[in-house]
Amino acid sequence: MPVRGTQSFIHILRDCWRRPSLLTLEVLWRWAFGVPFAALFAWQAWNIYTANVGQLASTGIYDVSILDPMRAAVVTADVYAVLAPPVLHALLWLVPIGIIGWAIASGIGRSAVLRRYDSTLPRRWTALIVLQLLRIVFLAASVAFWFIAIRWSAAVTLTGDAPNILGYLALVICLSLAVFTVWALVSWVFSIAPLLVLLERRSIASSLARSLRLGPLKGKLVEINLAMGIIKLALVVLAMVWSAIPLPFEAVVQGASLYAWWTVGTILYCIASDFFQVGRLAAFIQLWRTFQPIHSAPTQNFAALK
């Protein structure tokens, strides 16, 4: 019988729902790193704000309005000139700490989740950490390249006596789509390779090469990823609806109670996103086992002929 990726994904999500320990481990390792790092980031942001609050007030940021887009653009440029030096200085040490810390937490935590799902999988923390580190480094390089490309677009189209705003917007859209496409293609490799390291006991380089040659398994994974994209979009819509629920009660729900409502919504969104991420990993493992005989058959036949 043909195996449909989306149909099997529904059954796998049901099985993951019946095993809450998988979601618990996923949330635990993510938040064990994310909460302290977010606190460190917030502390550094607060220090930058308090050190530059006077200069920010002089830019007119507190009086800016979207009804006057030209003035808003000028104010934004002035705010950028004030905050760019301290923010870039802070990012020079925050970004390396975040990249290394996330790679370590992801390698150890993801191994714990996968071994909880299937205890026969090996514990290969080093390989998972290295692969996650490569993925984050490429993501950071993509963001840096996008930022540099946007600045180049502004320098080419917005300088001179007659700035070409339409040309700038066209370059921004094209460059953003190009960077996003490249990232989508490469992130696929870095997402599959860690699982191949465990399932096929491959090396780091071999798993990266193998992730480009998945055969009929690739089509099933595309179905799963499309379903995940729709689910993530639905979660974003639900989060927006949750945030807008207090609007009819703005006379009562405001201040601390409003922030608490938004905090609860953010936590629920993160937990739901983590659950579907666990389901995606479990779906890959089950699909790999379903199509593994197809991949291994040629090797066995060739060995038999010899």
Side-chain angles (χ1 to χ4, degrees):
M1 294 293 294
V3 178
R4 291 297 303 273
T6 51
Q7 292 176 351
S8 61
F9 189 43
I10 296 175
H11 296 290
I12 291 171
L13 289 178
R14 181 193 60 191
D15 295 337
C16 292
W17 180 261
R18 294 175 177 175
R19 299 178 62 180
S21 59
L22 297 175
L23 177 60
T24 302
L25 286 174
E26 183 75 12
V27 171
L28 181 62
W29 77 259
R30 286 178 178 271
W31 292 22
F33 167 79
V35 172
F37 184 75
L40 176 63
F41 190 88
W43 173 75
Q44 187 63 29
W46 176 255
N47 288 339
I48 293 175
Y49 171 76
T50 54
N52 299 276
V53 61
Q55 298 183 39
L56 289 175
S58 64
T59 62
I61 187 175
Y62 302 111
D63 300 323
V64 70
S65 173
I66 60 175
L67 299 178
D68 189 358
M70 298 303 295
R71 184 175 182 274
V74 174
V75 171
T76 302
D78 293 339
V79 171
Y80 176 82
V82 172
L83 295 181
V87 168
L88 291 177
H89 182 268
L91 291 179
L92 288 178
W93 62 272
L94 275 175
V95 171
I97 290 178
I99 290 176
I100 296 175
W102 177 258
I104 295 175
S106 177
I108 299 175
R110 185 54 52 76
S111 176
V113 173
L114 293 175
R115 283 181 55 81
R116 180 66 178 179
Y117 180 76
D118 185 354
S119 59
T120 63
L121 295 175
R123 183 183 288 108
R124 301 184 61 183
W125 291 352
T126 303
L128 295 182
I129 290 173
V130 171
L131 287 171
Q132 187 66 16
L133 184 62
L134 293 175
R135 183 176 186 272
I136 300 175
V137 168
F138 188 86
L139 175 61
S142 300
V143 173
F145 175 81
W146 176 83
F147 183 76
I148 294 173
I150 296 301
R151 294 195 53 159
W152 171 82
S153 302
V156 170
T157 58
L158 299 182
T159 56
D161 298 332
N164 186 0
I165 298 179
L166 293 179
Y168 171 72
L169 295 177
L171 283 177
V172 168
I173 293 173
C174 293
L175 290 172
S176 300
L177 290 176
V179 172
F180 176 79
T181 302
V182 173
W183 165 246
L185 294 175
V186 177
S187 65
W188 170 276
V189 175
F190 289 119
S191 298
I192 302 303
L195 297 175
L196 294 175
V197 163
L198 302 179
L199 292 171
E200 300 184 0
R201 273 67 169 177
R202 290 177 176 267
S203 64
I204 295 176
S206 177
S207 64
L208 291 173
R210 173 73 170 88
S211 61
L212 298 173
R213 299 177 284 104
L214 296 175
L217 180 59
K218 181 179 293 186
K220 308 304 176 183
L221 296 180
V222 169
E223 290 186 36
I224 298 297
N225 285 337
L226 288 176
M228 281 293 300
I230 296 174
I231 291 172
K232 287 295 184 69
L233 181 61
L235 289 178
V236 171
V237 173
L238 289 176
M240 295 173 61
V241 172
W242 177 278
S243 301
I245 287 177
L247 289 179
F249 314 100
E250 59 181 350
V252 180
V253 182
Q254 55 184 329
S257 59
L258 182 60
Y259 296 142
W261 180 268
W262 288 343
T263 301
V264 172
T266 302
I267 293 174
L268 292 177
Y269 172 83
C270 293
I271 293 176
S273 180
D274 292 346
F275 170 75
F276 287 108
Q277 181 64 26
V278 172
R280 179 175 178 269
L281 296 174
F284 177 85
I285 294 175
Q286 295 301 325
L287 288 173
W288 178 87
R289 287 173 175 164
T290 300
F291 288 92
Q292 179 60 17
I294 298 177
H295 299 304
S296 60
T299 304
Q300 295 174 355
N301 293 338
F302 181 73
L305 291 175
K306 294 176 66 177

